[in-house]
Amino acid sequence: HGPYQPHEPGYGLDQPGYSPYEDEIPDAQARMLAIKNAKAYLLKTSTKSGLNLYDHFANMLTKILDEQPTNTVDIIENISKDVKWAQFRKKMDTLRDEHLIPPTFEAAEKYKALFVKEGEEEHEDLDEEMGQPSLPNVMETAFYFEQAGVGLNKDESYYIFLALKNLINVQPIQTCRFWGKILGLEMNYIVAEVQLREGEDEEETGEEGEETIAEGEKEMGEAEEDEQKEKEAEPPKSTYKPPPEIPKEANGTGTNKYVYFVCNEPGRPWVKLPPVTPAQIVCARKIKKFFTGRLDAPIVSFPPFPGNEANYLRAQIARISAGTHVSPTGFYQFANEDEEEEEEADTYEENSEFEPPPVAEMVESLTTWAHHVKGILKQGRCFWINPSQKSEENEEEEDEEEEEEEGGEQQQERGLPLLTLISEDEGMKDIPAWTAQASTNLIPEYSVAILQSNRWPGAYAFASGRKFENIYFGWGHKYSPESHTPELPPPAQAEYPSGPEITETADPTVEEEMAFKAAQEEALAEAEEGEDEEEEDD
């Protein structure tokens, strides 16, 4: 291209001293402001990497001037990548690199306490005296359930095996069993079902009794203070009488027959769950809450649950055990023949003459399975109790009519007796209560009978010869064909009782008022005449 012509855009650029802003006077403040704005733009931090362009350019120029590579313009992209990579690289020492902890080492540190042998000698001596080991064979149980695709992986099963061993070494346990695993939103619960040695439950009940006595003394003192305050200014008293509280079943009987320990993971300390009360079981039937994995978490629900997550977990364990713990029919029998007719029988023993039926028969017929845990009544107890029964002092104070009314309202509940066949369990619409199947159809002579509960999803049982076991893996919720509907709050109480004394009447007419006044005057005149006659007689 030759020299630019005056009419072309590039004309005059090659002339010395030419500037496109010759007609403009430069402003120093405006130029400094533009520079500051440009620098501020370059200092903006990226939302992805956290870097800014100003520092990146400075690091690139520093690297180029230090290394002075050849053909810099051709490798400027690679230099930019190297500078970015150096920002995210770990700062290593020149003599020794930073030690990386592999995940396998972290898992080994977590379960290291399970492999420490403590207190085994004393436990072995107690087992020799008792004649039967209290530690269950969790790995054998896991093997049988694995045939049906149920259970945990082998590593976790073995960790639970060791955790149960540590529990037995610490606690005075007579029998122990791996109950199952309840899932939670934050953490899970591993549940152990145990029976303490004789005398341990009595100490606990004694401590509870002392606590209740102390609480009663405090309440008596508070009641005396309240009486003194009420004497000064007595407000209107409420006539509402709360229903009598249903007492919980004693330790070793009914819903509190077993003691339960839980932990979130194998290796963590075991925590003993408190005994369950009828009020907690009744309320647990009306609500549906997911577990969080924290025993002290509050239960926010309606109706309000009387306790925290530890009490709710204990109530759900009692409900699941009462509905899903089964055994082959005839494996257990009552200790006495008289107990067979009694519905309140709670003790049984193993039948030494039991002959296990074949697997095919246990799969085809549900009459080969029976409940060996007492069912829970609507009252929240396994054995019914009349809450209206009171002491003789209270009976003297109350009227006979109230006693008759209370006695007529309370009707004794009767549940199914112990060792009832599961074939009598009611289904849910078109869904049966139980589903039985064999572990395999390809090799039936070595198959295992598997029983699955449809009412409590996650509850399973197996039977193979004289061996059987029950286990639970689930969220702790009962299945319902319809969606869960929370209980509605009670209707609002009336502000005042309606009656003729309170109901507002219509205003009288003038004629009615005149007639009323005339009637009053006549009544007064008659009264005065009567008084005059009495005075004359005197």
Side-chain angles (χ1 to χ4, degrees):
H1 193 280
Y4 287 96
Q5 299 299 321
H7 64 276
E8 292 182 346
Y11 179 77
L13 294 176
D14 57 342
Q15 301 298 325
Y18 174 81
S19 174
Y21 304 102
E22 285 182 354
D23 56 340
E24 298 180 6
I25 300 174
D27 188 1
Q29 293 182 355
R31 185 167 293 183
M32 289 300 297
L33 180 62
I35 293 172
K36 290 181 180 179
N37 292 337
K39 186 175 180 180
Y41 173 75
L42 295 176
L43 287 171
K44 290 178 68 175
T45 304
S46 172
T47 56
K48 294 183 179 180
S49 61
L51 304 176
N52 61 77
L53 193 59
Y54 186 88
D55 293 339
H56 184 62
F57 281 156
N59 295 333
M60 285 178 59
L61 293 174
T62 303
K63 183 178 178 63
I64 291 171
L65 294 175
D66 291 343
E67 298 179 0
Q68 296 184 358
T70 57
N71 301 326
T72 306
V73 69
D74 298 331
I75 60 173
I76 188 67
E77 293 85 1
N78 297 333
I79 294 174
S80 176
K81 291 181 180 179
D82 293 342
V83 170
K84 286 185 178 180
W85 180 77
Q87 294 288 337
F88 300 102
R89 186 176 57 182
K90 288 187 175 182
K91 296 179 180 180
M92 301 293 184
D93 189 71
T94 55
L95 298 178
R96 182 178 297 174
D97 294 342
E98 184 179 354
H99 178 66
L100 296 176
I101 301 176
T104 54
F105 182 81
E106 293 180 354
E109 284 290 330
K110 185 188 299 183
Y111 301 115
K112 183 178 179 180
L114 297 174
F115 296 87
V116 178
K117 297 182 178 180
E118 292 182 358
E120 284 191 357
E121 297 179 357
E122 299 178 0
H123 180 64
E124 289 177 359
D125 296 340
L126 290 172
D127 284 345
E128 290 178 0
E129 294 177 2
M130 299 296 294
Q132 183 179 3
S134 56
L135 181 65
N137 193 347
V138 178
M139 300 305 295
E140 182 182 9
T141 304
F143 166 76
Y144 283 107
F145 279 112
E146 187 181 2
Q147 309 303 314
V150 179
L152 309 172
N153 59 63
K154 292 184 178 179
D155 290 344
E156 187 172 2
S157 298
Y158 192 72
Y159 294 150
I160 294 173
F161 197 5
L162 297 176
L164 292 176
K165 182 180 180 182
N166 292 346
L167 174 64
I168 291 174
N169 294 337
V170 173
Q171 298 290 339
I173 292 174
Q174 182 176 356
T175 61
C176 179
R177 192 179 74 86
F178 175 48
W179 186 89
K181 183 177 182 179
I182 292 182
L183 307 178
L185 299 177
E186 301 176 11
M187 295 178 287
N188 304 324
Y189 289 113
I190 297 171
V191 185
E193 181 183 87
V194 305
Q195 272 187 323
L196 301 178
R197 298 197 190 101
E198 296 181 1
E200 299 295 333
D201 293 342
E202 297 177 359
E203 295 178 1
E204 293 176 3
T205 53
E207 293 175 359
E208 292 177 0
E210 293 175 0
E211 292 177 358
T212 53
I213 292 169
E215 291 177 358
E217 292 177 355
K218 290 181 180 179
E219 291 178 357
M220 290 292 291
E222 293 176 358
E224 292 177 358
E225 293 178 0
D226 294 339
E227 288 178 0
Q228 293 177 358
K229 293 179 180 178
E230 288 177 359
K231 288 179 181 178
E232 298 176 359
E234 294 184 357
K237 297 181 180 179
S238 174
T239 58
Y240 172 75
K241 293 182 179 180
E245 183 180 359
I246 301 174
K248 72 179 183 69
E249 294 180 296
N251 294 339
T253 61
T255 54
N256 293 318
K257 183 175 182 180
Y258 297 98
V259 179
Y260 294 91
F261 289 83
V262 297
C263 66
N264 296 118
E265 288 183 358
R268 291 193 177 185
W270 290 93
V271 180
K272 181 182 176 182
L273 295 180
V276 67
T277 62
Q280 294 169 354
I281 293 179
V282 172
C283 186
R285 289 170 171 166
K286 300 177 182 178
I287 65 175
K288 182 173 284 190
K289 298 286 289 185
F290 281 100
F291 295 97
T292 62
R294 294 179 285 106
L295 292 175
D296 57 347
I299 301 296
V300 182
S301 64
F302 183 83
F305 184 79
N308 53 12
E309 187 166 306
N311 303 106
Y312 181 59
L313 176 63
R314 180 63 182 85
Q316 292 299 93
I317 289 175
R319 295 178 61 199
I320 295 171
S321 300
T324 63
H325 282 192
V326 296
S327 58
T329 304
F331 185 86
Y332 291 116
Q333 63 180 3
F334 292 105
N336 301 323
E337 296 180 357
D338 299 337
E339 293 183 356
E340 296 182 7
E341 300 178 358
E342 297 179 1
E343 295 183 359
E344 297 186 357
D346 192 26
T347 57
Y348 52 82
E349 62 183 7
E350 187 175 342
N351 184 9
S352 58
E353 300 178 357
F354 170 72
E355 294 182 2
V359 174
E361 184 179 351
M362 300 193 72
V363 171
E364 292 176 359
S365 176
L366 295 179
T367 57
T368 56
W369 300 84
H371 292 277
H372 62 264
V373 175
K374 186 74 174 175
I376 302 177
L377 304 174
K378 294 182 179 179
Q379 193 182 43
R381 294 169 52 99
C382 292
F383 304 103
W384 188 82
I385 187 173
N386 188 2
S388 62
Q389 289 181 351
K390 302 178 181 179
S391 60
E392 296 180 357
E393 297 178 358
N394 295 335
E395 287 179 358
E396 292 176 359
E397 295 176 0
E398 293 185 351
D399 299 331
E400 296 179 357
E401 297 179 358
E402 294 181 358
E403 291 180 1
E404 291 177 0
E405 291 177 0
E406 291 178 358
E409 291 176 359
Q410 296 293 336
Q411 295 181 357
Q412 183 176 359
E413 297 181 32
R414 295 184 179 274
L416 296 175
L418 200 62
L419 303 181
T420 302
L421 302 180
I422 67 171
S423 57
E424 300 181 12
D425 294 354
E426 296 181 1
M428 300 151 288
K429 291 187 177 180
D430 298 334
I431 304 174
W434 299 90
T435 299
Q437 61 182 357
S439 60
T440 178
N441 295 326
L442 301 177
I443 312 176
E445 57 269 21
Y446 292 105
S447 61
V448 179
I450 303 295
L451 189 67
Q452 176 184 355
S453 174
N454 297 324
R455 189 177 298 276
W456 290 95
Y460 297 90
F462 86 89
S464 177
R466 293 184 63 89
K467 294 181 180 180
F468 75 94
E469 191 57 78
N470 297 270
I471 207 163
Y472 179 82
F473 299 107
W475 294 94
H477 291 166
K478 189 176 182 179
Y479 173 77
S480 58
E482 301 174 356
S483 59
H484 175 67
T485 304
E487 185 178 353
L488 297 176
Q493 186 179 4
E495 295 183 4
Y496 54 87
S498 60
E501 300 176 355
I502 300 175
T503 306
E504 186 177 358
T505 58
D507 292 338
T509 61
V510 178
E511 291 79 7
E512 291 176 350
E513 288 183 357
M514 297 298 292
F516 181 71
K517 288 181 179 180
Q520 282 186 334
E521 291 175 357
E522 291 179 1
L524 288 172
E526 291 178 358
E528 289 177 356
E529 290 178 0
E531 290 177 358
D532 295 339
E533 291 178 357
E534 289 178 358
E535 290 177 358
E536 290 176 358
D537 294 338
D538 295 338

